[in-house]
């Protein structure tokens, strides 16, 4: 057999916004997660589903940083890409941005099978902020878009099961401390991209696991999945069983028929083949199928209402077409986490390729014909055979390195002496971020920073917290220890650690800010305002320059201090913070919104309205957030301007 699969480097040039620096403040507050349900919705659910809905929900982003340094100014920029192709398909992967497949081109027809975003525009949809739309993304960690959405992953060439080349992507997921790999290959002459996925738990304790492969496709389609019922979840935070394809007289398998954003988790019977497809008006489109371990299938729609349309424009260029997502995951719904036993692994095979079938007609007939055509194009037995062949290659050590991810996996491997065949995390990948923690591991002491700068992130897993507790009690160590203790739920001890750090700390503002958060969480809002004021004063005295790191620190601290001061009606103190902001920070949309709120609190209603009239864009507006429309409703009874209408629930519209 002549293997014609090729893997090469490429550069994509497209309008792109810069990611900017990470937020230097540790994320101490509970997750602002919209994917939650009322306990009463669990009645009548399958037992395993109800159990997994309550299993190990994520309460904190630590140790991942918040990524909110991006804006909305796009310029032509170059992105490193990796291309894998045979004579039938061409897949384009971005290893520096989560390993996402941004394009899957069917070469015989010239048809793009995915929704390919013509721009790179980060938005606040990942668990930790920056995320972008389009393509196929690999979501691991916890309910929501992965913290690796805009982060680099490791990539290398590996021999494929058929003797050709395979592209391996791998990283260390920090929220659950789990390594994973994604292997991409194209069998000779295949119309289907094969994807082998493995998640490992190398620890001596069980771990909660979450995985969903999200596939963006043009929304002017009909979505097919072998189900008669689905679990519908909307931004009202209710999980309801509904019939498929129609309920309330509306066929919900056409994404544009739904007025509001919603998820539909399809209930696929045990033993039935796992697949989902999105077909256009001509019956042509993309199909995804897998081995049975990847049991869940889902449709996400933005809805036809003004809020959904605004989000579609926000994430790309207006007028370039919208998208929906078809998805595949380990559980029935994305609100569940699966228990993985100690020193075990989960693995499966996915396949992505073209499908043409009639999409209109009686639902059972449509499914039967689509499933028959999928079976002809890629028999279910062949998927199982491909999985078995891939498993024999999963431990193969990578060859030529094509991209480098983070050094966090190398640090954990070094700490625990882990052996992870197939996914090496060599010490050569350790970088500046890991250096102080490597020193703590080697000497038992956390080194002090060599220069005055905003603090680096804290490692919070129990083994790192234990090392911090036994390290020499310097102010720097006490600060990081407090963060780790806070993450562990020992809030009283965290407060004591931060208080111990204050007397000798060269920088007061980091522990003061942590204490301010602790005050807010315990209801002491006046004391929190005092500490935020002192912290901001200290930061302004300490700031060394107007560079990226210090600007990010000022924006992060002021972004918390201003709402805290306004909450207790200390408008003069809030104005003092505002006046000391760097001009570049004041111009950001988030701070224009805060300026309008401050002006309204000062009784300057006309000036606050003028901020809206001049126009602004809150680059890091959160999915489901209503801060803009709430402030607008305090200013006027007029309808919310369309450019600010991101409302995703019927009770808000």
């Amino acid at each position: 057999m002549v293997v014609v699969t090729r893997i090469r480097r490429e550069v994509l040039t497209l309008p792109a916004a810069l990611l900017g620096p990470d937020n230097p403040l540790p994320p101490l507050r509970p997750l602002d997660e919209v994917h939650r349900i009322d306990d009463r919705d669990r009645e009548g659910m399958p037992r395993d589903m109800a159990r997994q809905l309550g299993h190990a929900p994520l309460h904190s982003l630590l140790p991942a940083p918040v990524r909110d340094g991006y804006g909305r100014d796009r310029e032509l920029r170059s992105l490193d890409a990796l291309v894998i192709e045979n004579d039938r398909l061409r897949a384009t992967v971005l290893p520096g941005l989560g390993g996402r497949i941004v394009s899957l081109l069917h070469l015989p027809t010239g048809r793009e099978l995915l929704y390919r975003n013509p721009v790179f525009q980060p938005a606040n949809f990942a668990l930790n902020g920056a995320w972008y739309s389009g393509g196929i993304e690999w979501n691991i960690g916890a309910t929501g878009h992965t913290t690796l959405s805009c982060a680099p992953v490791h990539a290398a060439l590996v021999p494929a099961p058929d003797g050709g080349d395979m592209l391996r992507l791998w990283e260390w997921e920090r929220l659950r401390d789990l390594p994973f790999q994604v292997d991409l290959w194209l069998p000779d002459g295949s119309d289907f991209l094969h994807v082998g996925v493995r998640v490992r738990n190398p620890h001596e304790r069980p771990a909660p696991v979450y995985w969903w492969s999200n596939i963006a496709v043009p929304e002017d389609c009909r979505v097919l999945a072998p189900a008669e019922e689905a679990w519908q979840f909307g931004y009202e935070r209710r999980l309801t069983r509904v019939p498929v394809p129609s309920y309330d007289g509306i066929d919900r398998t056409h994404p544009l028929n739904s007025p509001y954003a919603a998820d539909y988790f399809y209930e696929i019977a045990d033993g039935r083949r796992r697949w989902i497809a999105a077909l256009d008006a001509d019956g042509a489109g993309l199909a995804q199928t897998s081995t049975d371990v990847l049991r869940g299938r889902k449709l996400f729609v933005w809805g036809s209402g003004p809020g959904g349309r605004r989000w579609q424009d926000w994430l790309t260029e207006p007028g370039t077409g919208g998208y929906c997502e078809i998805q595949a995951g380990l559980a029935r719904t994305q609100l569940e986490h699966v228990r993985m036993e100690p020193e075990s692994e989960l693995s499966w095979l996915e396949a992505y390729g073209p499908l043409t079938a009639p999409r209109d007609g009686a639902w059972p007939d449509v499914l039967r014909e689509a499933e028959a055509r999928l079976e002809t194009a890629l028999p279910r037995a062949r998927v199982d055979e491909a999985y078995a062949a891939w498993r024999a290659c999963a431990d193969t050590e990578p060859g030529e390195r094509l991209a480098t991810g983070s050094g966090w996996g190398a640090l954990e491997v070094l700490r625990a002496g882990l052996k992870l065949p197939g996914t090496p995390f060599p010490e050569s990948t350790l970088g500046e971020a890991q250096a102080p923690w490597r020193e703590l591991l080697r000497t038992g002491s956390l080194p002090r920073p060599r220069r005055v700068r905003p603090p680096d992130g804290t490692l919070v897993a129990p083994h790192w917290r234990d090392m911090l507790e036994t390290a020499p009690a310097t102010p720097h160590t006490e600060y990081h220890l407090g963060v780790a203790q806070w993450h562990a739920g020992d809030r009283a001890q965290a407060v004591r650690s931060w208080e111990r750090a204050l007397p000798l700390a060269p920088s007061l503002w980091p522990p003061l800010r942590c204490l301010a958060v602790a005050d807010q969480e315990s209801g002491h809002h006046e004391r929190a305002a005092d500490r935020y004021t002192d912290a901001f004063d200290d930061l302004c005295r300490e700031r060394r320059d107007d560079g990226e790191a210090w600007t990010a620190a000022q924006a992060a601290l002021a972004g918390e201090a201003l709402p805290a001061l306004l909450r207790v009606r200390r408008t003069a103190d809030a104005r003092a913070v505002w006046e000391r902001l760097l001009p570049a920070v004041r111009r950001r949309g988030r701070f224009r919104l805060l300026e309008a709120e401050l002006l309204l609190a000062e009784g300057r209603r006309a000036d606050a309205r003028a901020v809206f009239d001049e126009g602004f864009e809150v680059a890091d507006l959160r999915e489901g957030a209503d801060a803009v429309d709430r402030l607008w409703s305090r200013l006027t009874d007029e309808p919310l301007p369309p450019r600010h209408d991101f409302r995703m629930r019927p009770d808000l519209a």
Side-chain angles (χ1 to χ4, degrees):
M1 179 190 299
V2 178
V3 178
V4 296
T5 299
R6 299 169 297 279
I7 299 177
R8 68 177 188 275
R9 300 177 191 270
E10 195 171 275
V11 174
L12 294 186
T13 301
L14 71 165
L18 291 173
L19 275 171
D22 291 344
N23 188 316
L25 305 183
L28 301 177
R29 291 185 175 84
L31 282 176
D32 180 22
E33 177 51 57
V34 299
H35 298 95
R36 299 193 302 270
I37 65 167
D38 194 297
D39 284 343
R40 66 177 182 265
D41 287 343
R42 301 187 190 206
E43 297 177 8
M45 287 182 180
R47 191 172 301 173
D48 62 331
M49 179 177 169
R51 181 180 65 252
Q52 290 175 170
L53 282 168
H55 178 56
L58 191 68
H59 297 295
S60 169
L61 280 176
L62 289 164
V66 172
R67 310 204 72 177
D68 60 1
Y70 53 88
R72 293 189 58 80
D73 294 328
R74 296 193 289 265
E75 298 179 4
L76 283 179
R77 307 183 196 277
S78 296
L79 302 177
D80 291 334
L82 300 172
V83 175
I84 175 171
E85 66 178 324
N86 61 6
D87 59 345
R88 309 293 295 173
L89 282 178
R90 178 187 301 145
T92 303
V93 180
L94 298 183
L97 294 168
R100 187 174 305 199
I101 300 175
V102 292
S103 172
L104 187 61
L105 187 67
H106 187 234
L107 297 173
T109 61
R111 207 157 36 86
E112 175 60 63
L113 300 180
L114 305 174
Y115 168 76
R116 182 170 184 171
N117 197 333
V119 304
F120 171 68
Q121 177 56 64
N124 192 1
F125 279 73
L127 285 165
N128 63 335
W131 169 89
Y132 61 107
S133 65
I136 305 171
E137 58 177 307
W138 320 111
N139 286 297
I140 181 174
T143 300
H145 294 281
T146 177
T147 61
L148 296 168
S149 291
C150 291
V153 298
H154 301 280
L157 294 180
V158 183
D162 60 3
D165 283 332
M166 182 163 64
L167 176 60
R168 175 163 298 165
L169 310 170
W170 74 99
E171 244 306 345
W172 188 277
E173 200 286 313
R174 300 180 68 199
L175 296 181
R176 305 298 197 181
D177 266 338
L178 301 176
F180 70 96
Q181 72 189 75
V182 177
D183 288 352
L184 312 174
W185 82 100
L186 286 163
D188 186 26
S190 175
D191 275 323
F192 281 79
L193 175 69
H194 287 44
V195 182
V197 182
R198 176 166 63 170
V199 181
R200 288 193 270 202
N201 177 13
H203 309 297
E204 296 178 349
R205 64 181 188 278
V209 178
Y210 172 94
W211 183 282
W212 281 80
S213 302
N214 290 11
I215 309 135
V217 293
E219 67 179 346
D220 188 10
C221 67
R222 191 183 197 194
V223 173
L224 311 182
E228 306 296 330
E229 291 184 310
W231 296 93
Q232 190 266 352
F233 179 81
Y235 286 81
E236 305 92 337
R237 295 177 177 173
R238 298 297 307 277
L239 192 61
T240 308
R241 186 174 245 165
V242 299
V244 176
S246 300
Y247 76 94
D248 289 343
I250 299 173
D251 186 338
R252 310 285 174 156
T253 62
H254 293 269
L256 288 170
N257 285 353
S258 293
Y260 297 100
D263 300 325
Y264 298 92
F265 299 101
Y266 294 111
E267 185 70 45
I268 301 176
D270 290 343
R272 192 157 187 184
R273 184 174 186 176
R274 308 285 162 171
W275 64 275
I276 191 168
L279 305 181
D280 64 17
D282 296 325
L286 171 79
Q288 188 270 2
T289 187
S290 71
T291 48
D292 290 350
V293 168
L294 203 66
R295 65 170 300 173
R297 293 298 185 276
K298 170 194 160 181
L299 164 65
F300 166 75
V301 300
W302 281 108
S304 58
R309 296 300 91 197
R310 183 68 180 109
W311 275 117
Q312 293 268 29
D313 288 345
W314 185 256
L315 297 172
T316 184
E317 286 284 0
T320 56
Y323 75 96
C324 63
E325 287 184 353
I326 57 175
Q327 305 180 13
L330 283 174
R332 282 184 175 87
T333 74
Q334 288 175 330
L335 287 71
E336 301 170 63
H337 299 96
V338 176
R339 176 187 168 98
M340 183 185 287
E341 296 303 323
E343 299 178 333
S344 67
E345 62 182 51
L346 283 169
S347 62
W348 61 90
L349 184 99
E350 304 181 45
Y352 298 81
L355 181 69
T356 301
R359 73 172 198 178
D360 299 318
W363 184 245
D365 296 338
V366 169
L367 292 183
R368 190 179 304 111
E369 180 63 22
E371 201 157 28
R373 296 197 182 192
L374 177 60
E375 182 66 18
T376 298
L378 184 64
R380 185 178 186 180
R382 193 183 303 166
V383 174
D384 292 334
E385 291 166 3
Y387 169 71
W390 167 71
R391 284 293 296 148
C393 302
D395 283 350
T396 303
E397 290 303 314
E400 179 187 352
R401 296 301 178 93
L402 301 175
T404 302
S406 78
W408 297 114
L411 185 67
E412 292 301 328
V413 167
L414 185 65
R415 178 195 64 80
L418 301 175
K419 304 298 182 184
L420 299 170
T423 55
F425 295 96
E427 288 190 47
S428 60
T429 60
L430 292 169
E432 183 179 357
Q434 294 81 41
W437 302 96
R438 185 185 189 183
E439 185 71 9
L440 175 64
L441 182 63
R442 188 178 66 85
T443 68
S445 178
L446 190 68
R448 295 170 179 162
R450 295 180 180 178
R451 63 183 187 277
V452 176
R453 64 180 185 184
D456 293 324
T458 304
L459 296 184
V460 295
H463 41 268
W464 293 107
R465 186 175 73 249
D466 291 345
M467 281 185 262
L468 288 169
E469 287 176 344
T470 57
T474 66
H476 184 61
T477 301
E478 294 282 11
Y479 165 77
H480 285 288
L481 175 58
V483 174
Q485 290 165 331
W486 182 271
H487 177 263
D490 191 352
R491 296 191 169 188
Q493 191 58 56
V495 167
R496 286 192 284 272
S497 294
W498 291 325
E499 288 175 340
R500 285 196 300 268
L502 280 174
L504 298 177
S507 298
L508 299 178
W509 64 270
L512 279 172
R513 177 264 174 180
C514 292
L515 289 167
V517 173
D519 286 334
Q520 286 184 315
E521 292 295 304
S522 60
H524 295 98
H525 296 289
E526 282 287 355
R527 191 166 67 199
D530 289 338
R531 282 176 159 153
Y532 270 122
T533 300
D534 293 342
F536 193 76
D537 288 345
D538 185 66
L539 171 61
C540 289
R541 284 192 297 268
E542 184 177 82
R543 182 168 56 87
R544 294 296 189 262
D545 54 47
D546 296 347
E548 188 177 74
W550 285 105
T551 300
Q554 189 191 71
L557 186 58
E560 293 184 8
L562 285 166
L565 292 165
L566 291 173
R567 176 168 186 159
V568 295
R569 298 181 175 84
R570 288 168 54 169
T571 54
D573 290 335
R575 175 59 61 183
V577 169
W578 174 265
E579 295 296 339
R580 283 178 288 173
L581 291 176
L582 294 166
V585 175
R586 287 190 198 178
R587 289 193 294 268
R588 297 181 185 181
R590 171 67 60 187
F591 286 90
R592 297 303 313 280
L593 181 64
L594 285 169
E595 180 187 18
E597 189 172 356
L598 173 58
L599 289 166
L600 183 60
E602 292 173 331
R604 299 163 61 183
R605 182 176 297 271
D607 291 335
R609 171 61 187 265
V611 173
F612 276 86
D613 293 340
E614 291 166 10
F616 60 87
E617 292 184 324
V618 182
D620 61 336
L621 191 68
R622 185 69 174 167
E623 175 188 13
D626 58 358
V628 178
D629 46 291
R630 281 193 292 106
L631 182 57
W632 176 262
S633 67
R634 291 169 58 196
L635 285 172
T636 177
D637 293 330
E638 297 175 25
L640 184 67
R643 68 177 179 273
H644 292 306
D645 191 353
F646 295 90
R647 294 172 294 185
M648 300 172 72
R649 300 194 336 238
D651 59 316
L652 292 178

CSV table of all heavy atoms in Angstrom, one decimal, residues 401-427:
chain,number,residue,atom,x,y,z
A,401,ARG,N,9.2,16.8,16.8
A,401,ARG,CA,8.3,17.7,17.5
A,401,ARG,C,7.9,18.8,16.6
A,401,ARG,O,8.8,19.5,15.9
A,401,ARG,CB,9.1,18.3,18.7
A,401,ARG,CG,9.4,17.2,19.8
A,401,ARG,CD,8.2,16.5,20.3
A,401,ARG,NE,8.5,15.5,21.3
A,401,ARG,CZ,8.5,15.7,22.6
A,401,ARG,NH1,8.2,16.9,23.1
A,401,ARG,NH2,8.8,14.7,23.4
A,402,LEU,N,6.6,19.2,16.6
A,402,LEU,CA,6.1,20.2,15.7
A,402,LEU,C,5.6,21.4,16.5
A,402,LEU,O,5.5,22.5,15.9
A,402,LEU,CB,4.9,19.6,14.9
A,402,LEU,CG,5.3,18.4,14.0
A,402,LEU,CD1,4.0,17.9,13.4
A,402,LEU,CD2,6.3,18.8,13.0
A,403,ALA,N,5.4,21.3,17.8
A,403,ALA,CA,4.9,22.4,18.6
A,403,ALA,C,5.2,22.1,20.1
A,403,ALA,O,5.2,20.9,20.5
A,403,ALA,CB,3.5,22.8,18.4
A,404,THR,N,5.3,23.1,20.9
A,404,THR,CA,5.6,22.9,22.3
A,404,THR,C,4.5,23.5,23.2
A,404,THR,O,4.1,24.7,22.9
A,404,THR,CB,7.0,23.5,22.7
A,404,THR,OG1,8.0,22.9,21.9
A,404,THR,CG2,7.3,23.2,24.2
A,405,GLY,N,4.0,22.8,24.1
A,405,GLY,CA,3.0,23.3,25.0
A,405,GLY,C,3.6,23.9,26.3
A,405,GLY,O,4.6,24.5,26.2
A,406,SER,N,2.9,23.7,27.4
A,406,SER,CA,3.3,24.3,28.6
A,406,SER,C,4.3,23.3,29.3
A,406,SER,O,4.5,22.2,29.0
A,406,SER,CB,2.1,24.5,29.6
A,406,SER,OG,1.7,23.3,30.2
A,407,GLY,N,4.9,23.9,30.4
A,407,GLY,CA,5.8,23.1,31.2
A,407,GLY,C,5.2,22.5,32.5
A,407,GLY,O,5.9,21.8,33.3
A,408,TRP,N,3.8,22.6,32.6
A,408,TRP,CA,3.2,22.1,33.8
A,408,TRP,C,3.2,20.6,33.9
A,408,TRP,O,3.3,20.0,35.0
A,408,TRP,CB,1.8,22.7,33.9
A,408,TRP,CG,1.7,24.2,34.0
A,408,TRP,CD1,1.3,25.1,33.1
A,408,TRP,CD2,2.3,24.9,35.1
A,408,TRP,NE1,1.4,26.4,33.6
A,408,TRP,CE2,2.1,26.3,34.8
A,408,TRP,CE3,2.9,24.6,36.3
A,408,TRP,CZ2,2.5,27.3,35.6
A,408,TRP,CZ3,3.3,25.7,37.2
A,408,TRP,CH2,3.1,27.0,36.8
A,409,GLY,N,3.0,19.9,32.8
A,409,GLY,CA,3.1,18.5,32.8
A,409,GLY,C,4.5,18.0,33.2
A,409,GLY,O,4.6,17.1,34.0
A,410,ALA,N,5.6,18.7,32.7
A,410,ALA,CA,6.9,18.3,33.1
A,410,ALA,C,7.1,18.5,34.6
A,410,ALA,O,7.8,17.6,35.3
A,410,ALA,CB,7.9,19.2,32.3
A,411,LEU,N,6.6,19.5,35.2
A,411,LEU,CA,6.7,19.7,36.6
A,411,LEU,C,6.0,18.6,37.4
A,411,LEU,O,6.6,18.1,38.4
A,411,LEU,CB,6.1,21.1,37.0
A,411,LEU,CG,6.3,21.5,38.5
A,411,LEU,CD1,7.8,21.8,38.8
A,411,LEU,CD2,5.5,22.7,38.8
A,412,GLU,N,4.9,18.2,37.0
A,412,GLU,CA,4.2,17.1,37.7
A,412,GLU,C,4.8,15.8,37.5
A,412,GLU,O,4.9,15.0,38.5
A,412,GLU,CB,2.7,17.1,37.3
A,412,GLU,CG,1.9,18.3,37.7
A,412,GLU,CD,1.8,18.5,39.2
A,412,GLU,OE1,1.8,17.5,39.9
A,412,GLU,OE2,1.7,19.6,39.6
A,413,VAL,N,5.4,15.5,36.4
A,413,VAL,CA,6.1,14.3,36.1
A,413,VAL,C,7.4,14.3,37.0
A,413,VAL,O,7.7,13.2,37.6
A,413,VAL,CB,6.4,14.2,34.6
A,413,VAL,CG1,7.5,13.1,34.4
A,413,VAL,CG2,5.2,13.9,33.8
A,414,LEU,N,8.0,15.4,37.1
A,414,LEU,CA,9.2,15.5,37.9
A,414,LEU,C,8.9,15.3,39.4
A,414,LEU,O,9.6,14.6,40.1
A,414,LEU,CB,9.9,16.9,37.7
A,414,LEU,CG,11.2,17.1,38.4
A,414,LEU,CD1,12.3,16.2,37.8
A,414,LEU,CD2,11.6,18.6,38.2
A,415,ARG,N,7.8,15.9,39.8
A,415,ARG,CA,7.4,15.8,41.2
A,415,ARG,C,7.1,14.3,41.6
A,415,ARG,O,7.5,13.8,42.7
A,415,ARG,CB,6.2,16.6,41.5
A,415,ARG,CG,5.7,16.6,43.0
A,415,ARG,CD,4.3,17.1,43.1
A,415,ARG,NE,3.3,16.4,42.3
A,415,ARG,CZ,2.8,15.3,42.8
A,415,ARG,NH1,3.1,14.7,43.9
A,415,ARG,NH2,1.8,14.7,42.0
A,416,ALA,N,6.3,13.7,40.7
A,416,ALA,CA,5.7,12.3,41.1
A,416,ALA,C,6.5,11.2,40.5
A,416,ALA,O,6.2,10.0,40.8
A,416,ALA,CB,4.3,12.3,40.7
A,417,GLY,N,7.5,11.4,39.6
A,417,GLY,CA,8.2,10.4,38.9
A,417,GLY,C,7.3,9.6,38.0
A,417,GLY,O,7.4,8.3,38.0
A,418,LEU,N,6.3,10.2,37.4
A,418,LEU,CA,5.3,9.5,36.5
A,418,LEU,C,5.9,9.0,35.3
A,418,LEU,O,6.9,9.6,34.7
A,418,LEU,CB,4.2,10.5,36.2
A,418,LEU,CG,3.4,11.1,37.4
A,418,LEU,CD1,2.4,12.1,36.9
A,418,LEU,CD2,2.7,10.0,38.2
A,419,LYS,N,5.4,7.8,34.8
A,419,LYS,CA,5.8,7.3,33.5
A,419,LYS,C,4.5,7.3,32.7
A,419,LYS,O,3.5,6.7,33.0
A,419,LYS,CB,6.2,5.8,33.7
A,419,LYS,CG,7.4,5.6,34.6
A,419,LYS,CD,8.7,6.4,34.1
A,419,LYS,CE,9.8,6.1,35.1
A,419,LYS,NZ,11.0,6.9,34.7
A,420,LEU,N,4.6,8.1,31.6
A,420,LEU,CA,3.4,8.3,30.7
A,420,LEU,C,3.8,8.0,29.3
A,420,LEU,O,4.0,8.9,28.5
A,420,LEU,CB,2.9,9.7,30.8
A,420,LEU,CG,2.4,10.2,32.2
A,420,LEU,CD1,2.2,11.7,32.3
A,420,LEU,CD2,1.2,9.4,32.6
A,421,PRO,N,3.9,6.7,28.9
A,421,PRO,CA,4.3,6.4,27.5
A,421,PRO,C,3.4,7.0,26.5
A,421,PRO,O,2.2,7.1,26.6
A,421,PRO,CB,4.1,4.8,27.5
A,421,PRO,CG,4.2,4.4,28.9
A,421,PRO,CD,3.6,5.5,29.7
A,422,GLY,N,4.1,7.6,25.5
A,422,GLY,CA,3.4,8.2,24.4
A,422,GLY,C,3.2,9.7,24.6
A,422,GLY,O,2.9,10.4,23.6
A,423,THR,N,3.2,10.2,25.8
A,423,THR,CA,3.0,11.6,26.0
A,423,THR,C,4.1,12.1,27.0
A,423,THR,O,3.9,12.4,28.1
A,423,THR,CB,1.6,11.9,26.7
A,423,THR,OG1,1.5,11.1,27.9
A,423,THR,CG2,0.5,11.6,25.7
A,424,PRO,N,5.3,12.3,26.4
A,424,PRO,CA,6.4,12.8,27.3
A,424,PRO,C,6.3,14.2,27.7
A,424,PRO,O,5.9,15.1,26.9
A,424,PRO,CB,7.6,12.5,26.4
A,424,PRO,CG,7.1,12.7,25.0
A,424,PRO,CD,5.7,12.1,25.0
A,425,PHE,N,6.7,14.5,28.9
A,425,PHE,CA,6.7,15.9,29.4
A,425,PHE,C,8.1,16.1,29.9
A,425,PHE,O,8.4,16.0,31.1
A,425,PHE,CB,5.7,16.1,30.5
A,425,PHE,CG,4.3,16.0,30.1
A,425,PHE,CD1,3.6,14.8,30.2
A,425,PHE,CD2,3.6,17.1,29.5
A,425,PHE,CE1,2.2,14.7,29.8
A,425,PHE,CE2,2.3,17.0,29.1
A,425,PHE,CZ,1.6,15.8,29.2
A,426,PRO,N,9.1,16.3,29.0
A,426,PRO,CA,10.5,16.4,29.4
A,426,PRO,C,10.8,17.7,30.2
A,426,PRO,O,10.1,18.7,30.0
A,426,PRO,CB,11.2,16.4,28.0
A,426,PRO,CG,10.3,17.0,27.1
A,426,PRO,CD,8.9,16.5,27.5
A,427,GLU,N,11.9,17.6,31.0
A,427,GLU,CA,12.3,18.8,31.8
A,427,GLU,C,12.7,20.0,30.9
A,427,GLU,O,12.6,21.1,31.3
A,427,GLU,CB,13.5,18.4,32.7
A,427,GLU,CG,13.1,17.5,33.8
A,427,GLU,CD,14.2,17.3,34.8
A,427,GLU,OE1,14.8,18.4,35.2
A,427,GLU,OE2,14.5,16.2,35.2
